[in-house]
Amino acid sequence: MHMRRDTKTSMLLLPSGAIYTALLLAPIALLLRTSLLPEGPGAPLEGPLSLSSYAALADPYYGAIFVRTLRIAALTTLFCLLLGYPLALSVSRSRGTWRRLQLLLLVSPLFVSVVVRAYGWMLLLGNRGLVNSALLSIGVIDAPIRLLYSEGAVVLALVEALLPFMAISILAILDRLAPELEEAARGLGASKFETFRHVTLPLSLPGALSGALLVFMVSMGSYATPALIGGARIRVVVTEIYTQVMAVFNWPLAASLSLTLLALALVVAQLARRLEARGL
Amino acid sequence: MADLRIENLTKRFGDTVVLDGFDLSIEDGELMTLLGPSGSGKTTVLRLVAGYIDPDAGAILVDGQNVLTLPPEKRDIGMVFQSYALFPHRSLYKNVAFGLERRKVARDKIASRVAEALTLVRLEGLDARFPSELSGGQQQRVALARALVIRPTLLLLDEPLSNLDARLRAELRLEIRRIQKTLGITTVLVTHDQEEALTVSDRVAVINDGRLQQLGTPDELYRKPANRFVAEFVGKMNLLPAEREGECVYRFTTGETIRTAEAGRKEHVLVAVRPEVVRTGAEKGWNRIDGTVAHRVFLGELTEIGVTLADGTLFLARGSDLPTVAPGETLTLSWPVAATALLDP
């Protein structure tokens, strides 16, 4: 009886399943095969199966790129959490026009493409950008300071781009919390802060966790922002993959980089699931 | 323990006046029920007393002290919500312990007081369960234990039984009354269920449109409703318009004259008769009225006969020994003069 229902239900998965198989699983299988070919600049994409492209990743150069990628993703997630939680709390506590206005401001960055926003940051942070010009003109500095092409600038731009996702994840949970829960806590003797600490915050953590996971994953996989704002100095895994494919023509290495990044993402997702299962 | 005085309480939400100069005094140890339909303002009274909202005017005095300046956490009030509002991320034990933890009670003291509260509501051995693992009735008991464990000066119950099935409701109703009596705690219960109000309360305040309609014991409310609203809201009531003919004599629009025990002064009145006092057939010295049988239904302990009068009004009789009649039959109904009440139309 169970089987029959499962069969019928799984029919619903057919269309999306077909797309995922064709556009996700098949390319990953191809990537895996490519990664097992001998690596090297301009590698001919043939030859005996080997693990040389994975062995190449042991080079400290790639180690540093992976560490930087994780650090940028972690910092972006942290700042998104710190900025997104109060933002979500403020929206969830507001009503009417004020709430709608905040929501509009919150999602407005999503109306503009990441590339356009990255150029915006370049105009602001460049050597002749707004910030440097302003600092120069009031005499705080005598020569432009480097703001662009730094890890900080990449994190700043990523936070700006991903904050809406974090805030919306948290808001979705906060909006669903019954107001009586906070009232009950107050009535039982909890101050506003204690109510937040013992009721609102723990109950909203699942939203913060899914927001954090989302932001972390997207930061790790983002290309345009680190490419434009980090430039050649701040290499991350994704920009390195691009370089290996388009400039070095080392496809096996690009494939092993991609699969390692995917494995890292899966590990992070699994950790998040464990955290959630433990009730945080 | 404590008494509660509510004076001239007024609350507006936007242009809507929810409470309009509401007064009520509740004595120490009393169980007062606020009874009214939804939107009558009864829950607003409770939320004002608990401190979740502020009034536009008026005072709330607990033991003579105005509590309006105090935030909810300083009012020392135990509240049970309609939804129970149990903390879903805390075990049953941690839910009940919440108020004691906020009061910085020592850990071993918390354990003994939580155990005591759970014994009081007859809910032992489930300490580690989470709210989602409890039945509705159990959740209700946890909510009650959580409110009582802090030994509040007042207990507020907002429709505490409305989410339970009828059998459990009847059982927990008596349970709440037992616990309230045991602790002697001043309690305000809000409900729209007149049966609940009549069974558990010392006194009942009937509220409609933000105004007090009648305040009295369940018995007074049932036997001497102050107005048409109370008569129709509490129990079933036959209401017939009538004209004054003389001292204690009134004439229905359908022609029959009847006598009353009380001497009303108004020309136009409503005659109010409870269906339970109405019998079939003519009884000597009783008031009587004729009509055509519309229905006869079995209600369990009672049977109800509905009779259509000459002007089309439905008149009800209820009893355990009503005769078998068929729709369409002509039937005479009668009831004692003493059980004939007069109300303003």
Side-chain angles (χ1 to χ4, degrees):
Chain A
M1 203 175 87
H2 236 89
M3 278 299 291
R4 266 224 329 251
R5 180 173 295 173
D6 281 354
T7 319
K8 271 191 184 166
T9 313
S10 53
M11 299 276 281
L12 297 173
L13 291 174
L14 266 181
S16 60
I19 289 174
Y20 271 108
T21 313
L23 300 181
L24 191 70
L25 296 180
I28 286 175
L30 261 170
L31 264 182
L32 185 65
R33 213 188 76 88
T34 311
S35 76
L36 294 173
L37 294 170
E39 65 93 27
L45 293 185
E46 53 190 31
L49 291 187
S50 91
L51 289 171
S52 66
S53 76
Y54 291 94
L57 296 184
D59 189 309
Y61 172 79
Y62 295 110
I65 286 180
F66 272 105
V67 168
R68 180 185 297 124
T69 305
L70 288 175
R71 187 169 55 228
I72 287 174
L75 284 172
T76 303
T77 308
L78 179 71
F79 286 117
C80 278
L81 260 177
L82 292 178
L83 295 172
Y85 199 98
L87 191 58
L89 203 57
S90 162
V91 178
S92 81
R93 297 283 144 103
S94 312
R95 292 286 164 268
T97 318
W98 179 222
R99 179 187 160 96
R100 280 195 295 277
L101 190 69
Q102 287 181 70
L103 267 177
L104 187 71
L105 284 174
L106 174 61
V107 298
S108 59
L110 302 178
F111 299 154
V112 184
S113 131
V114 226
V115 178
V116 175
R117 270 182 289 161
Y119 277 117
W121 283 111
M122 291 167 84
L123 291 176
L124 276 178
L125 302 177
N127 278 355
R128 301 155 130 220
L130 202 62
V131 177
N132 268 319
S133 312
L135 291 177
L136 280 169
S137 71
I138 56 169
V140 180
I141 49 173
D142 327 313
I145 45 170
R146 195 176 57 221
L147 299 167
L148 210 55
Y149 309 123
S150 68
E151 230 176 87
V154 173
V155 170
L156 179 65
L158 281 173
V159 168
E160 190 258 348
L162 300 177
L163 188 57
F165 297 107
M166 178 67 87
I168 287 167
S169 292
I170 298 170
L171 180 64
I173 295 272
L174 287 177
D175 275 348
R176 280 212 312 259
L177 285 188
E180 296 96 77
L181 290 176
E182 292 182 355
E183 287 176 356
R186 294 291 300 281
L188 288 166
S191 64
K192 279 184 182 171
F193 175 74
E194 286 173 317
T195 301
F196 175 75
R197 159 85 184 71
H198 294 288
V199 177
T200 318
L201 183 64
L203 287 174
S204 61
L205 281 184
L209 184 68
S210 60
L213 186 61
L214 189 68
V215 168
F216 193 90
M217 295 296 190
V218 177
S219 314
M220 241 181 13
S222 65
Y223 172 75
T225 308
L228 293 169
I229 296 191
R233 282 178 38 89
I234 309 298
R235 288 170 186 275
V236 294
V237 179
V238 177
T239 53
E240 185 61 25
I241 293 169
Y242 182 83
T243 309
Q244 290 298 331
V245 173
M246 304 302 285
V248 187
F249 300 111
N250 190 348
W251 285 38
L253 188 62
S256 66
L257 279 167
S258 305
L259 289 174
T260 311
L261 188 65
L262 179 65
L264 268 176
L266 290 176
V267 167
V268 170
Q270 193 56 36
L271 282 176
R273 266 185 47 179
R274 285 261 181 90
L275 261 179
E276 180 147 43
R278 269 192 27 213
L280 296 153
Chain B
M1 283 303 160
D3 60 70
L4 171 66
R5 265 196 7 251
I6 294 168
E7 291 173 354
N8 189 33
L9 206 57
T10 301
K11 179 69 186 172
R12 281 181 288 269
F13 290 119
D15 294 336
T16 325
V17 181
V18 182
L19 282 177
D20 190 8
F22 185 79
D23 291 300
L24 191 64
S25 276
I26 299 163
E27 283 162 30
D28 183 16
E30 185 178 29
L31 197 163
M32 171 74 78
T33 295
L34 306 183
L35 174 66
S38 60
S40 59
K42 56 191 194 305
T43 297
T44 305
V45 175
L46 221 56
R47 294 174 58 75
L48 284 164
V49 173
Y52 299 133
I53 46 175
D54 295 319
D56 293 305
I60 296 173
L61 302 135
V62 177
D63 276 338
Q65 299 285 318
N66 195 344
V67 297
L68 282 180
T69 50
L70 298 176
E73 64 266 29
K74 300 269 188 247
R75 292 198 186 185
D76 217 18
I77 285 173
M79 175 133 173
V80 174
F81 293 80
Q82 183 171 10
S83 62
Y84 314 135
L86 298 180
F87 305 127
H89 61 303
R90 293 183 143 238
S91 66
L92 186 162
Y93 179 89
K94 293 288 267 177
N95 261 280
V96 179
F98 188 88
L100 298 175
E101 287 171 2
R102 302 289 79 74
R103 283 165 174 73
K104 310 272 183 278
V105 175
R107 191 171 292 193
D108 52 332
K109 261 284 180 35
I110 292 182
S112 64
R113 279 176 67 177
V114 169
E116 195 182 307
L118 290 175
T119 309
L120 186 68
V121 299
R122 303 185 190 184
L123 201 64
E124 292 121 326
L126 300 173
D127 288 19
R129 297 272 186 93
F130 281 82
S132 59
E133 300 168 318
L134 300 172
S135 71
Q138 287 171 332
Q139 291 183 28
Q140 211 282 330
R141 286 165 195 265
V142 177
L144 192 60
R146 185 178 70 175
L148 288 172
V149 78
I150 60 170
R151 295 175 188 159
T153 48
L154 287 178
L155 178 63
L156 306 181
L157 307 169
D158 184 11
E159 303 262 9
L161 305 173
S162 63
N163 288 330
L164 302 171
D165 64 60
R167 206 176 61 88
L168 206 53
R169 200 155 59 222
E171 185 187 313
L172 279 173
R173 198 187 277 164
L174 297 177
E175 189 85 358
I176 285 179
R177 181 57 164 165
R178 174 185 67 80
I179 292 167
Q180 189 267 336
K181 283 262 191 195
T182 313
L183 301 177
I185 187 169
T186 313
T187 302
V188 186
L189 179 129
V190 156
T191 185
H192 64 272
D193 181 345
Q194 46 103 8
E195 197 184 318
E196 191 172 308
L198 296 181
T199 38
V200 304
S201 320
D202 291 310
R203 285 191 297 164
V204 179
V206 183
I207 304 177
N208 191 36
D209 288 337
R211 288 219 176 86
L212 185 63
Q213 303 293 317
Q214 187 173 5
L215 175 65
T217 63
D219 196 72
E220 285 165 1
L221 234 57
Y222 194 79
R223 299 201 191 287
K224 293 208 74 58
N227 57 38
R228 180 174 192 156
F229 177 81
V230 178
E232 290 186 310
F233 198 73
V234 180
K236 278 272 180 189
M237 185 69 97
N238 291 305
L239 290 170
L240 292 174
E243 306 272 331
R244 192 175 132 103
E245 285 264 303
E247 184 79 7
C248 295
V249 182
Y250 290 86
R251 179 189 292 277
F252 287 142
T253 46
T254 48
E256 291 94 340
T257 49
I258 54 140
R259 287 176 302 121
T260 60
E262 63 173 311
R265 285 187 199 86
K266 296 246 168 69
E267 280 304 313
H268 302 278
V269 296
L270 273 177
V271 171
V273 182
R274 290 280 176 204
E276 300 87 79
V277 302
V278 180
R279 290 289 164 270
T280 53
E283 297 265 355
K284 196 162 175 264
W286 286 25
N287 289 320
R288 45 178 290 187
I289 198 164
D290 299 323
T292 319
V293 175
H295 67 255
R296 181 182 189 280
V297 288
F298 182 58
L299 301 175
E301 303 103 90
L302 296 176
T303 299
E304 177 182 285
I305 295 179
V307 168
T308 312
L309 306 180
D311 64 351
T313 326
L314 192 69
F315 199 89
L316 299 176
R318 280 181 174 183
S320 51
D321 53 356
L322 293 180
T324 309
V325 288
E329 275 181 43
T330 342
L331 193 65
T332 300
L333 298 173
S334 54
W335 64 91
V337 172
T340 312
L342 295 178
L343 293 174
D344 293 337

